[in-house]
């Protein structure tokens, strides 16, 4: 059975957990539509860009920490 796909985003959703100590920082992406995109940078130098369906509120809480 294939995972359900959102009408908003055609990519599959993936979940991963990391220790908080592995997170070096969180920053809002400058060209984010609706302020929803953010980048998480890890202590090993890797990073990922994510979009929050929750919107601006989640990104504001993450970048304020």
């Amino acid at each position: 059975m294939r995972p359900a796909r959102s009408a908003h985003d055609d990519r599959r959703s993936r979940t991963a957990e990391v220790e908080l100590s592995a997170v070096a920082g969180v920053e809002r992406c400058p060209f984010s539509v609706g302020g929803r995109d953010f980048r998480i940078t890890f202590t090993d130098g890797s990073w990922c860009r994510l979009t929050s369906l929750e919107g601006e509120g989640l990104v504001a809480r993450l970048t304020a920490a």
Side-chain angles (χ1 to χ4, degrees), residues 1 5-6 10 15 21-24 33 35 43 51 55 58 61-62:
M1 178 179 238
R5 290 184 182 222
S6 164
D10 202 26
T15 302
S21 61
V23 177
V33 175
T43 55
T51 298
L58 174 64
R61 288 193 305 274
L62 291 172

Side-chain angles (χ1 to χ4, degrees), residues 28-39:
R28 183 182 325 267
C29 293
F31 299 106
S32 173
V33 175
R36 298 182 196 228
D37 296 353
F38 59 99
R39 181 185 314 216

Side-chain angles (χ1 to χ4, degrees), residues 9 14 17 26 41 48 51-52 54 57-60 64-65:
D9 189 347
R14 297 182 184 170
E17 293 184 22
V26 179
T41 305
C48 64
T51 298
S52 167
E54 187 179 319
L58 174 64
V59 178

